[in-house]
Each structure stands twice: as structure tokens, then as C-alpha cells.
Amino acid sequence: AQKITQTQPGMFVQEKEAVTLDCTYDTSDPSYGLFWYKQPSSGEMIFLIYQGSYDQQNATEGRYSLNFQKARKSANLVISASQLGDSAMYFCAMREGWVDSNYQLIWGAGTKLIIKP
Amino acid sequence: NAGVTQTPKFQVLKTGQSMTLQCAQDMNHEYMSWYRQDPGMGLRLIHYSVGAGITDQGEVPNGYNVSRSTTEDFPLRLLSAAPSQTSVYFCASSYRGGRIYEQYFGPGTRLTVT
């Protein structure tokens, strides 16, 4: 079974609109962490935001926020006021177990986001 | 800091050739890993290391070898290249500390095997 599922292969969004990128995960471990990375057309992987399974509040980093719904096992990335520079591939990834015992990340297949002017 | 560096950026190999992809980081990170990225798929872990002298296999280790003689360097060796190894390869490192251990990525190596 897929551990990380990103159901939107591609999305078109008008500039300045908010966009939500979906990510669902599957784990039986009570301790885990969820990451979002951005990959622009230039190819580098850029860390955006992190949510720990025991974090009480949803993570926010500037225009990025994470809509974490633990019972539904979803960790959607929300980008507010989208910009042309947000056009990129976006990947959701999960680390299972305590952070000190497991460094490995499991990755989703990604969502290609295109911002229209 | 240069961060994570990878060489070469592009490489074309013939089937059966061997080569080493270089990865270095100057952040004194304990954890380093190699991933491959194929179209339509997320990154898949090839090998990883939690410190000098310690390496382990990831999800797709066949056809690849690694070693970690220093904290800074983590080369990936292709023993006998096959067309199925055509991919983009990323090296990443992580600091063992803080709360989240986010991984820092190199710019990638695009490998084509003909």
C-alpha cells in the first residue's frame, strides 16, 4: 500500500489565489513527521514546512501552512496568495518513528503546480 | 557554506560501464543519503549513512555501492550501468539535532545510460 499519496498529478491556479495541495499518509506508528518540499524547474529540492504528529498546532511558514487532520491522515499544503514563482513540483514526504531513530523519508509522487498570470 | 555539492551535473554512460557520483557537504551533517528520481515517482532511497564508517541500504540498493570514509563525502558507485539506472540522482544530508532533521539536497546529477 502507498504510504504517501498525492492524488493531484497537476494543478492550474490563477495568480493571487490560494491553492491547496493534497497529501494523505498511511502509518501505524504514533510518532511521525510530515514534510513538504518544492522542486522548481531548475531541479533543486527546497524544504518548505514540517508537521510533527504530536504538534498541537498546524505548522505555518510565511505563505505556507499545513492543514493537518490527524484522524483523516491528511497533511495538505496551503499556499496563500499564489505567485508565478510558486510554479513547481511539490512533494509530500513522511518519516516514521521517533526523529532520533529513523532518518529515512518516504516520498509521494508529487503534484505539478502551474500558476497562471 | 557551499551546502551539498554533487558532481558531475550530467553524465552519459554506455551499458556495462562503471562510474562514481560524488557528493560532499560542508555542514558537518551526520546523516547523508542518496535518492533517485524517476518521472511520475517520488524520490526513492538508494543508500544512506548515519555517520562515517556506517552505511545501510535503502529501498532500491541493487546495482549501487556506497562508502563513507569521512563525514563530508558520500560517493555513490554504479558497478555496471544499465539503462534502468537512467535517472536523476540526488544526494542529501541532515543534521542530527534540532527538532525535525530536515534534509538538505544537492543540485542533482542527471544520468543517462545507453
PDB file of all heavy atoms in Angstrom, chain A residues 50-84:
ATOM      1  N   TYR A  50       7.225  21.652   7.932  1.00  0.00           N
ATOM      2  CA  TYR A  50       7.226  20.383   8.660  1.00  0.00           C
ATOM      3  C   TYR A  50       6.097  20.368   9.690  1.00  0.00           C
ATOM      4  O   TYR A  50       5.791  21.393  10.309  1.00  0.00           O
ATOM      5  CB  TYR A  50       8.566  20.214   9.376  1.00  0.00           C
ATOM      6  CG  TYR A  50       8.591  19.074  10.374  1.00  0.00           C
ATOM      7  CD1 TYR A  50       8.860  17.771   9.952  1.00  0.00           C
ATOM      8  CD2 TYR A  50       8.351  19.296  11.734  1.00  0.00           C
ATOM      9  CE1 TYR A  50       8.898  16.728  10.857  1.00  0.00           C
ATOM     10  CE2 TYR A  50       8.382  18.256  12.635  1.00  0.00           C
ATOM     11  CZ  TYR A  50       8.655  16.975  12.200  1.00  0.00           C
ATOM     12  OH  TYR A  50       8.690  15.935  13.095  1.00  0.00           O
ATOM     13  N   GLN A  51       5.512  19.169   9.853  1.00  0.00           N
ATOM     14  CA  GLN A  51       4.492  18.960  10.889  1.00  0.00           C
ATOM     15  C   GLN A  51       4.810  17.674  11.627  1.00  0.00           C
ATOM     16  O   GLN A  51       4.923  16.621  11.007  1.00  0.00           O
ATOM     17  CB  GLN A  51       3.103  18.851  10.253  1.00  0.00           C
ATOM     18  CG  GLN A  51       1.971  18.643  11.237  1.00  0.00           C
ATOM     19  CD  GLN A  51       1.495  19.938  11.853  1.00  0.00           C
ATOM     20  OE1 GLN A  51       1.349  20.949  11.181  1.00  0.00           O
ATOM     21  NE2 GLN A  51       1.217  19.939  13.142  1.00  0.00           N
ATOM     22  N   GLY A  52       4.948  17.749  12.932  1.00  0.00           N
ATOM     23  CA  GLY A  52       5.137  16.555  13.735  1.00  0.00           C
ATOM     24  C   GLY A  52       3.801  16.002  14.193  1.00  0.00           C
ATOM     25  O   GLY A  52       2.834  16.763  14.384  1.00  0.00           O
ATOM     26  N   SER A  53       3.747  14.691  14.399  1.00  0.00           N
ATOM     27  CA  SER A  53       2.466  14.068  14.731  1.00  0.00           C
ATOM     28  C   SER A  53       1.930  14.520  16.081  1.00  0.00           C
ATOM     29  O   SER A  53       0.726  14.467  16.329  1.00  0.00           O
ATOM     30  CB  SER A  53       2.594  12.542  14.706  1.00  0.00           C
ATOM     31  OG  SER A  53       3.577  12.097  15.628  1.00  0.00           O
ATOM     32  N   TYR A  54       2.807  14.981  16.957  1.00  0.00           N
ATOM     33  CA  TYR A  54       2.359  15.424  18.270  1.00  0.00           C
ATOM     34  C   TYR A  54       2.239  16.937  18.378  1.00  0.00           C
ATOM     35  O   TYR A  54       1.916  17.448  19.450  1.00  0.00           O
ATOM     36  CB  TYR A  54       3.323  14.911  19.349  1.00  0.00           C
ATOM     37  CG  TYR A  54       3.275  13.407  19.519  1.00  0.00           C
ATOM     38  CD1 TYR A  54       4.355  12.608  19.159  1.00  0.00           C
ATOM     39  CD2 TYR A  54       2.143  12.772  20.019  1.00  0.00           C
ATOM     40  CE1 TYR A  54       4.320  11.236  19.311  1.00  0.00           C
ATOM     41  CE2 TYR A  54       2.091  11.405  20.171  1.00  0.00           C
ATOM     42  CZ  TYR A  54       3.183  10.639  19.811  1.00  0.00           C
ATOM     43  OH  TYR A  54       3.133   9.268  19.961  1.00  0.00           O
ATOM     44  N   ASP A  55       2.501  17.612  17.266  1.00  0.00           N
ATOM     45  CA  ASP A  55       2.372  19.074  17.310  1.00  0.00           C
ATOM     46  C   ASP A  55       0.907  19.455  17.511  1.00  0.00           C
ATOM     47  O   ASP A  55       0.026  18.946  16.821  1.00  0.00           O
ATOM     48  CB  ASP A  55       2.904  19.693  16.015  1.00  0.00           C
ATOM     49  CG  ASP A  55       4.400  19.552  15.885  1.00  0.00           C
ATOM     50  OD1 ASP A  55       5.051  19.227  16.902  1.00  0.00           O
ATOM     51  OD2 ASP A  55       4.919  19.744  14.777  1.00  0.00           O
ATOM     52  N   GLN A  56       0.679  20.377  18.408  1.00  0.00           N
ATOM     53  CA  GLN A  56      -0.698  20.757  18.754  1.00  0.00           C
ATOM     54  C   GLN A  56      -1.308  21.694  17.724  1.00  0.00           C
ATOM     55  O   GLN A  56      -2.522  21.716  17.525  1.00  0.00           O
ATOM     56  CB  GLN A  56      -0.721  21.442  20.123  1.00  0.00           C
ATOM     57  CG  GLN A  56      -0.320  20.528  21.279  1.00  0.00           C
ATOM     58  CD  GLN A  56      -1.301  19.381  21.449  1.00  0.00           C
ATOM     59  OE1 GLN A  56      -2.518  19.577  21.430  1.00  0.00           O
ATOM     60  NE2 GLN A  56      -0.786  18.176  21.589  1.00  0.00           N
ATOM     61  N   GLN A  57      -0.450  22.459  17.073  1.00  0.00           N
ATOM     62  CA  GLN A  57      -0.963  23.434  16.117  1.00  0.00           C
ATOM     63  C   GLN A  57      -0.478  23.111  14.718  1.00  0.00           C
ATOM     64  O   GLN A  57       0.588  22.508  14.533  1.00  0.00           O
ATOM     65  CB  GLN A  57      -0.491  24.834  16.506  1.00  0.00           C
ATOM     66  CG  GLN A  57      -1.071  25.315  17.840  1.00  0.00           C
ATOM     67  CD  GLN A  57      -0.787  26.781  18.072  1.00  0.00           C
ATOM     68  OE1 GLN A  57       0.288  27.264  17.728  1.00  0.00           O
ATOM     69  NE2 GLN A  57      -1.745  27.487  18.639  1.00  0.00           N
ATOM     70  N   ASN A  58      -1.244  23.540  13.742  1.00  0.00           N
ATOM     71  CA  ASN A  58      -0.821  23.391  12.349  1.00  0.00           C
ATOM     72  C   ASN A  58       0.388  24.272  12.076  1.00  0.00           C
ATOM     73  O   ASN A  58       0.445  25.426  12.509  1.00  0.00           O
ATOM     74  CB  ASN A  58      -1.965  23.773  11.408  1.00  0.00           C
ATOM     75  CG  ASN A  58      -3.052  22.722  11.371  1.00  0.00           C
ATOM     76  OD1 ASN A  58      -2.884  21.629  11.912  1.00  0.00           O
ATOM     77  ND2 ASN A  58      -4.166  23.051  10.758  1.00  0.00           N
ATOM     78  N   ALA A  59       1.339  23.737  11.326  1.00  0.00           N
ATOM     79  CA  ALA A  59       2.561  24.473  11.026  1.00  0.00           C
ATOM     80  C   ALA A  59       2.296  25.588  10.016  1.00  0.00           C
ATOM     81  O   ALA A  59       1.446  25.455   9.130  1.00  0.00           O
ATOM     82  CB  ALA A  59       3.615  23.518  10.466  1.00  0.00           C
ATOM     83  N   THR A  60       3.003  26.678  10.191  1.00  0.00           N
ATOM     84  CA  THR A  60       2.947  27.782   9.226  1.00  0.00           C
ATOM     85  C   THR A  60       4.360  28.302   9.001  1.00  0.00           C
ATOM     86  O   THR A  60       5.175  28.338   9.920  1.00  0.00           O
ATOM     87  CB  THR A  60       2.065  28.944   9.716  1.00  0.00           C
ATOM     88  OG1 THR A  60       2.612  29.435  10.947  1.00  0.00           O
ATOM     89  CG2 THR A  60       0.631  28.511   9.933  1.00  0.00           C
ATOM     90  N   GLU A  61       4.634  28.683   7.743  1.00  0.00           N
ATOM     91  CA  GLU A  61       5.919  29.280   7.373  1.00  0.00           C
ATOM     92  C   GLU A  61       5.636  30.298   6.274  1.00  0.00           C
ATOM     93  O   GLU A  61       5.503  29.950   5.113  1.00  0.00           O
ATOM     94  CB  GLU A  61       6.911  28.235   6.842  1.00  0.00           C
ATOM     95  CG  GLU A  61       7.436  27.252   7.835  1.00  0.00           C
ATOM     96  CD  GLU A  61       8.482  27.832   8.779  1.00  0.00           C
ATOM     97  OE1 GLU A  61       8.937  28.965   8.541  1.00  0.00           O
ATOM     98  OE2 GLU A  61       8.826  27.151   9.749  1.00  0.00           O
ATOM     99  N   GLY A  62       5.496  31.557   6.660  1.00  0.00           N
ATOM    100  CA  GLY A  62       5.212  32.592   5.674  1.00  0.00           C
ATOM    101  C   GLY A  62       3.894  32.324   4.971  1.00  0.00           C
ATOM    102  O   GLY A  62       2.845  32.197   5.592  1.00  0.00           O
ATOM    103  N   ARG A  63       3.931  32.212   3.642  1.00  0.00           N
ATOM    104  CA  ARG A  63       2.710  31.960   2.862  1.00  0.00           C
ATOM    105  C   ARG A  63       2.294  30.491   2.865  1.00  0.00           C
ATOM    106  O   ARG A  63       1.258  30.142   2.303  1.00  0.00           O
ATOM    107  CB  ARG A  63       2.913  32.422   1.420  1.00  0.00           C
ATOM    108  CG  ARG A  63       3.036  33.940   1.263  1.00  0.00           C
ATOM    109  CD  ARG A  63       3.048  34.351  -0.210  1.00  0.00           C
ATOM    110  NE  ARG A  63       4.157  33.746  -0.950  1.00  0.00           N
ATOM    111  CZ  ARG A  63       3.998  32.849  -1.907  1.00  0.00           C
ATOM    112  NH1 ARG A  63       2.798  32.420  -2.254  1.00  0.00           N
ATOM    113  NH2 ARG A  63       5.053  32.371  -2.538  1.00  0.00           N
ATOM    114  N   TYR A  64       3.118  29.636   3.468  1.00  0.00           N
ATOM    115  CA  TYR A  64       2.813  28.204   3.500  1.00  0.00           C
ATOM    116  C   TYR A  64       2.196  27.829   4.848  1.00  0.00           C
ATOM    117  O   TYR A  64       2.672  28.269   5.890  1.00  0.00           O
ATOM    118  CB  TYR A  64       4.077  27.375   3.289  1.00  0.00           C
ATOM    119  CG  TYR A  64       4.828  27.683   2.028  1.00  0.00           C
ATOM    120  CD1 TYR A  64       6.043  28.358   2.072  1.00  0.00           C
ATOM    121  CD2 TYR A  64       4.330  27.301   0.786  1.00  0.00           C
ATOM    122  CE1 TYR A  64       6.739  28.652   0.909  1.00  0.00           C
ATOM    123  CE2 TYR A  64       5.018  27.589  -0.376  1.00  0.00           C
ATOM    124  CZ  TYR A  64       6.220  28.270  -0.307  1.00  0.00           C
ATOM    125  OH  TYR A  64       6.902  28.556  -1.470  1.00  0.00           O
ATOM    126  N   SER A  65       1.169  27.036   4.796  1.00  0.00           N
ATOM    127  CA  SER A  65       0.626  26.456   6.013  1.00  0.00           C
ATOM    128  C   SER A  65       0.255  25.013   5.728  1.00  0.00           C
ATOM    129  O   SER A  65       0.082  24.601   4.568  1.00  0.00           O
ATOM    130  CB  SER A  65      -0.590  27.247   6.513  1.00  0.00           C
ATOM    131  OG  SER A  65      -1.609  27.246   5.539  1.00  0.00           O
ATOM    132  N   LEU A  66       0.181  24.252   6.788  1.00  0.00           N
ATOM    133  CA  LEU A  66      -0.109  22.841   6.646  1.00  0.00           C
ATOM    134  C   LEU A  66      -1.440  22.568   7.342  1.00  0.00           C
ATOM    135  O   LEU A  66      -1.571  22.836   8.544  1.00  0.00           O
ATOM    136  CB  LEU A  66       1.029  22.006   7.257  1.00  0.00           C
ATOM    137  CG  LEU A  66       1.230  20.617   6.689  1.00  0.00           C
ATOM    138  CD1 LEU A  66       2.699  20.182   6.784  1.00  0.00           C
ATOM    139  CD2 LEU A  66       0.355  19.630   7.405  1.00  0.00           C
ATOM    140  N   ASN A  67      -2.392  22.077   6.610  1.00  0.00           N
ATOM    141  CA  ASN A  67      -3.694  21.707   7.164  1.00  0.00           C
ATOM    142  C   ASN A  67      -3.608  20.239   7.589  1.00  0.00           C
ATOM    143  O   ASN A  67      -3.807  19.328   6.792  1.00  0.00           O
ATOM    144  CB  ASN A  67      -4.775  21.920   6.114  1.00  0.00           C
ATOM    145  CG  ASN A  67      -6.162  21.629   6.666  1.00  0.00           C
ATOM    146  OD1 ASN A  67      -6.316  21.305   7.841  1.00  0.00           O
ATOM    147  ND2 ASN A  67      -7.168  21.739   5.830  1.00  0.00           N
ATOM    148  N   PHE A  68      -3.305  20.053   8.866  1.00  0.00           N
ATOM    149  CA  PHE A  68      -3.034  18.718   9.401  1.00  0.00           C
ATOM    150  C   PHE A  68      -4.298  18.175  10.047  1.00  0.00           C
ATOM    151  O   PHE A  68      -4.786  18.730  11.034  1.00  0.00           O
ATOM    152  CB  PHE A  68      -1.896  18.805  10.424  1.00  0.00           C
ATOM    153  CG  PHE A  68      -1.476  17.499  11.036  1.00  0.00           C
ATOM    154  CD1 PHE A  68      -1.261  16.378  10.258  1.00  0.00           C
ATOM    155  CD2 PHE A  68      -1.257  17.408  12.403  1.00  0.00           C
ATOM    156  CE1 PHE A  68      -0.848  15.183  10.821  1.00  0.00           C
ATOM    157  CE2 PHE A  68      -0.841  16.209  12.987  1.00  0.00           C
ATOM    158  CZ  PHE A  68      -0.646  15.099  12.193  1.00  0.00           C
ATOM    159  N   GLN A  69      -4.830  17.090   9.471  1.00  0.00           N
ATOM    160  CA  GLN A  69      -6.006  16.431  10.022  1.00  0.00           C
ATOM    161  C   GLN A  69      -5.610  15.002  10.355  1.00  0.00           C
ATOM    162  O   GLN A  69      -5.648  14.102   9.506  1.00  0.00           O
ATOM    163  CB  GLN A  69      -7.166  16.493   9.040  1.00  0.00           C
ATOM    164  CG  GLN A  69      -7.589  17.924   8.731  1.00  0.00           C
ATOM    165  CD  GLN A  69      -8.844  17.997   7.890  1.00  0.00           C
ATOM    166  OE1 GLN A  69      -9.812  17.266   8.116  1.00  0.00           O
ATOM    167  NE2 GLN A  69      -8.837  18.870   6.901  1.00  0.00           N
ATOM    168  N   LYS A  70      -5.250  14.828  11.630  1.00  0.00           N
ATOM    169  CA  LYS A  70      -4.634  13.569  12.051  1.00  0.00           C
ATOM    170  C   LYS A  70      -5.578  12.392  11.893  1.00  0.00           C
ATOM    171  O   LYS A  70      -5.178  11.308  11.453  1.00  0.00           O
ATOM    172  CB  LYS A  70      -4.193  13.709  13.510  1.00  0.00           C
ATOM    173  CG  LYS A  70      -3.177  12.717  13.987  1.00  0.00           C
ATOM    174  CD  LYS A  70      -2.654  13.165  15.340  1.00  0.00           C
ATOM    175  CE  LYS A  70      -1.632  12.200  15.877  1.00  0.00           C
ATOM    176  NZ  LYS A  70      -1.061  12.672  17.153  1.00  0.00           N
ATOM    177  N   ALA A  71      -6.837  12.573  12.259  1.00  0.00           N
ATOM    178  CA  ALA A  71      -7.789  11.461  12.191  1.00  0.00           C
ATOM    179  C   ALA A  71      -8.004  11.015  10.753  1.00  0.00           C
ATOM    180  O   ALA A  71      -8.226   9.832  10.486  1.00  0.00           O
ATOM    181  CB  ALA A  71      -9.109  11.882  12.833  1.00  0.00           C
ATOM    182  N   ARG A  72      -7.936  11.940   9.835  1.00  0.00           N
ATOM    183  CA  ARG A  72      -8.110  11.605   8.421  1.00  0.00           C
ATOM    184  C   ARG A  72      -6.795  11.238   7.757  1.00  0.00           C
ATOM    185  O   ARG A  72      -6.758  10.899   6.586  1.00  0.00           O
ATOM    186  CB  ARG A  72      -8.744  12.784   7.695  1.00  0.00           C
ATOM    187  CG  ARG A  72     -10.137  13.140   8.160  1.00  0.00           C
ATOM    188  CD  ARG A  72     -10.687  14.299   7.359  1.00  0.00           C
ATOM    189  NE  ARG A  72     -10.743  14.004   5.933  1.00  0.00           N
ATOM    190  CZ  ARG A  72     -10.959  14.893   4.989  1.00  0.00           C
ATOM    191  NH1 ARG A  72     -11.143  16.158   5.310  1.00  0.00           N
ATOM    192  NH2 ARG A  72     -10.998  14.554   3.724  1.00  0.00           N
ATOM    193  N   LYS A  73      -5.703  11.365   8.483  1.00  0.00           N
ATOM    194  CA  LYS A  73      -4.363  11.098   7.964  1.00  0.00           C
ATOM    195  C   LYS A  73      -4.101  11.933   6.713  1.00  0.00           C
ATOM    196  O   LYS A  73      -3.706  11.407   5.661  1.00  0.00           O
ATOM    197  CB  LYS A  73      -4.148   9.605   7.705  1.00  0.00           C
ATOM    198  CG  LYS A  73      -4.139   8.786   8.989  1.00  0.00           C
ATOM    199  CD  LYS A  73      -3.706   7.350   8.764  1.00  0.00           C
ATOM    200  CE  LYS A  73      -3.583   6.629  10.099  1.00  0.00           C
ATOM    201  NZ  LYS A  73      -3.195   5.222   9.939  1.00  0.00           N
ATOM    202  N   SER A  74      -4.356  13.209   6.838  1.00  0.00           N
ATOM    203  CA  SER A  74      -4.053  14.097   5.724  1.00  0.00           C
ATOM    204  C   SER A  74      -3.208  15.276   6.205  1.00  0.00           C
ATOM    205  O   SER A  74      -3.329  15.716   7.351  1.00  0.00           O
ATOM    206  CB  SER A  74      -5.323  14.597   5.039  1.00  0.00           C
ATOM    207  OG  SER A  74      -5.957  15.585   5.808  1.00  0.00           O
ATOM    208  N   ALA A  75      -2.363  15.758   5.314  1.00  0.00           N
ATOM    209  CA  ALA A  75      -1.445  16.858   5.629  1.00  0.00           C
ATOM    210  C   ALA A  75      -1.334  17.732   4.385  1.00  0.00           C
ATOM    211  O   ALA A  75      -0.327  17.706   3.673  1.00  0.00           O
ATOM    212  CB  ALA A  75      -0.086  16.307   6.035  1.00  0.00           C
ATOM    213  N   ASN A  76      -2.363  18.486   4.127  1.00  0.00           N
ATOM    214  CA  ASN A  76      -2.420  19.279   2.903  1.00  0.00           C
ATOM    215  C   ASN A  76      -1.625  20.574   3.039  1.00  0.00           C
ATOM    216  O   ASN A  76      -1.668  21.242   4.068  1.00  0.00           O
ATOM    217  CB  ASN A  76      -3.870  19.604   2.552  1.00  0.00           C
ATOM    218  CG  ASN A  76      -4.688  18.358   2.296  1.00  0.00           C
ATOM    219  OD1 ASN A  76      -4.146  17.289   2.000  1.00  0.00           O
ATOM    220  ND2 ASN A  76      -5.992  18.477   2.423  1.00  0.00           N
ATOM    221  N   LEU A  77      -0.930  20.922   1.986  1.00  0.00           N
ATOM    222  CA  LEU A  77      -0.169  22.176   1.942  1.00  0.00           C
ATOM    223  C   LEU A  77      -1.060  23.263   1.362  1.00  0.00           C
ATOM    224  O   LEU A  77      -1.664  23.073   0.305  1.00  0.00           O
ATOM    225  CB  LEU A  77       1.075  22.012   1.076  1.00  0.00           C
ATOM    226  CG  LEU A  77       1.924  23.273   0.890  1.00  0.00           C
ATOM    227  CD1 LEU A  77       2.630  23.630   2.196  1.00  0.00           C
ATOM    228  CD2 LEU A  77       2.944  23.084  -0.233  1.00  0.00           C
ATOM    229  N   VAL A  78      -1.130  24.371   2.052  1.00  0.00           N
ATOM    230  CA  VAL A  78      -1.888  25.523   1.583  1.00  0.00           C
ATOM    231  C   VAL A  78      -0.913  26.656   1.280  1.00  0.00           C
ATOM    232  O   VAL A  78      -0.092  27.021   2.133  1.00  0.00           O
ATOM    233  CB  VAL A  78      -2.934  25.980   2.624  1.00  0.00           C
ATOM    234  CG1 VAL A  78      -3.706  27.183   2.105  1.00  0.00           C
ATOM    235  CG2 VAL A  78      -3.885  24.844   2.970  1.00  0.00           C
ATOM    236  N   ILE A  79      -0.995  27.168   0.075  1.00  0.00           N
ATOM    237  CA  ILE A  79      -0.189  28.322  -0.311  1.00  0.00           C
ATOM    238  C   ILE A  79      -1.142  29.497  -0.485  1.00  0.00           C
ATOM    239  O   ILE A  79      -2.063  29.444  -1.314  1.00  0.00           O
ATOM    240  CB  ILE A  79       0.579  28.083  -1.627  1.00  0.00           C
ATOM    241  CG1 ILE A  79       1.397  26.796  -1.548  1.00  0.00           C
ATOM    242  CG2 ILE A  79       1.488  29.270  -1.934  1.00  0.00           C
ATOM    243  CD1 ILE A  79       2.065  26.409  -2.866  1.00  0.00           C
ATOM    244  N   SER A  80      -0.947  30.520   0.300  1.00  0.00           N
ATOM    245  CA  SER A  80      -1.834  31.681   0.195  1.00  0.00           C
ATOM    246  C   SER A  80      -1.292  32.649  -0.846  1.00  0.00           C
ATOM    247  O   SER A  80      -0.087  32.705  -1.103  1.00  0.00           O
ATOM    248  CB  SER A  80      -1.935  32.384   1.547  1.00  0.00           C
ATOM    249  OG  SER A  80      -0.668  32.892   1.923  1.00  0.00           O
ATOM    250  N   ALA A  81      -2.169  33.379  -1.491  1.00  0.00           N
ATOM    251  CA  ALA A  81      -1.779  34.433  -2.444  1.00  0.00           C
ATOM    252  C   ALA A  81      -0.691  33.951  -3.387  1.00  0.00           C
ATOM    253  O   ALA A  81       0.451  34.425  -3.373  1.00  0.00           O
ATOM    254  CB  ALA A  81      -1.317  35.680  -1.694  1.00  0.00           C
ATOM    255  N   SER A  82      -1.019  32.985  -4.229  1.00  0.00           N
ATOM    256  CA  SER A  82      -0.007  32.339  -5.071  1.00  0.00           C
ATOM    257  C   SER A  82       0.670  33.342  -6.001  1.00  0.00           C
ATOM    258  O   SER A  82       0.082  34.344  -6.429  1.00  0.00           O
ATOM    259  CB  SER A  82      -0.661  31.217  -5.889  1.00  0.00           C
ATOM    260  OG  SER A  82      -1.705  31.730  -6.670  1.00  0.00           O
ATOM    261  N   GLN A  83       1.934  33.032  -6.289  1.00  0.00           N
ATOM    262  CA  GLN A  83       2.765  33.863  -7.161  1.00  0.00           C
ATOM    263  C   GLN A  83       3.281  33.020  -8.314  1.00  0.00           C
ATOM    264  O   GLN A  83       3.333  31.790  -8.219  1.00  0.00           O
ATOM    265  CB  GLN A  83       3.942  34.423  -6.362  1.00  0.00           C
ATOM    266  CG  GLN A  83       3.543  35.228  -5.147  1.00  0.00           C
ATOM    267  CD  GLN A  83       4.729  35.560  -4.248  1.00  0.00           C
ATOM    268  OE1 GLN A  83       5.858  35.125  -4.486  1.00  0.00           O
ATOM    269  NE2 GLN A  83       4.475  36.340  -3.210  1.00  0.00           N
ATOM    270  N   LEU A  84       3.698  33.680  -9.390  1.00  0.00           N
ATOM    271  CA  LEU A  84       4.211  32.950 -10.551  1.00  0.00           C
ATOM    272  C   LEU A  84       5.384  32.052 -10.164  1.00  0.00           C
ATOM    273  O   LEU A  84       5.553  30.948 -10.686  1.00  0.00           O
ATOM    274  CB  LEU A  84       4.621  33.922 -11.650  1.00  0.00           C
ATOM    275  CG  LEU A  84       3.493  34.755 -12.263  1.00  0.00           C
ATOM    276  CD1 LEU A  84       4.051  35.704 -13.320  1.00  0.00           C
ATOM    277  CD2 LEU A  84       2.404  33.877 -12.839  1.00  0.00           C
TER     278      LEU A  84
END
